[in-house]
Amino acid sequence: MNTVIVDPQVLRSIHRSELRKKILMYLSEIYPSATYLSEIARVVGSDPSNVRGALVGLGNRYNGESSLVYLGLVEEVSNNGFKYYRLTNYGKKVVDYLKEYYRYYRRFM
């Protein structure tokens, strides 16, 4: 496995939100494809406004500085007036790191 340096703020943001984790894992499954907000919400079983908050921030409830786009894990792509989201290369490396991390620590739970 390639070594990836993960910013502690990134790890903190992911560990504080089960929804952010689910979004990252789903986008990792379809990587490098992009998808739209409603599809992400349907797959992860959450409301589109909550998914939007996790992706780009939303008022007081979702801090923009902890959002997946702000942290560089997900990118927003505009095409013909529609917005799509996909994992960045860095986001894919972070998800791969997390999968190994959880696999390792699961032995102790």
Side-chain angles (χ1 to χ4, degrees):
M1 177 183 215
N2 293 336
T3 302
V4 61
I5 298 174
V6 181
D7 184 329
Q9 182 181 354
V10 169
L11 288 177
R12 182 176 182 274
S13 175
I14 295 168
H15 290 310
R16 291 188 70 218
S17 171
E18 193 63 33
L19 181 56
R20 286 188 196 108
K21 276 187 243 181
K22 286 180 179 182
I23 292 169
L24 285 175
M25 294 303 172
Y26 170 61
L27 291 176
S28 174
E29 291 296 317
I30 65 168
Y31 181 83
S33 297
T35 190
Y36 54 99
L37 187 116
S38 295
E39 178 68 12
I40 297 170
R42 189 173 15 264
V43 170
V44 301
S46 185
D47 185 80
S49 65
N50 289 331
V51 171
R52 179 164 170 67
L55 286 167
V56 296
L58 188 65
N60 295 334
R61 189 159 177 214
Y62 288 98
N63 180 348
E65 293 181 2
S66 296
S67 72
L68 298 174
V69 170
Y70 180 86
L71 295 171
L73 302 173
V74 174
E75 64 181 333
E76 185 178 81
V77 179
S78 293
N79 188 2
N80 293 328
F82 296 98
K83 291 182 181 178
Y84 299 93
Y85 298 90
R86 74 172 156 228
L87 213 55
T88 61
N89 290 333
Y90 175 62
K92 178 66 172 154
K93 290 177 184 177
V94 169
V95 170
D96 291 343
Y97 168 81
L98 288 173
K99 287 178 180 177
E100 286 297 314
Y101 173 87
Y102 293 138
R103 190 174 298 125
Y104 175 78
Y105 282 102
R106 195 171 297 133
R107 300 181 317 181
F108 303 105
M109 296 179 185

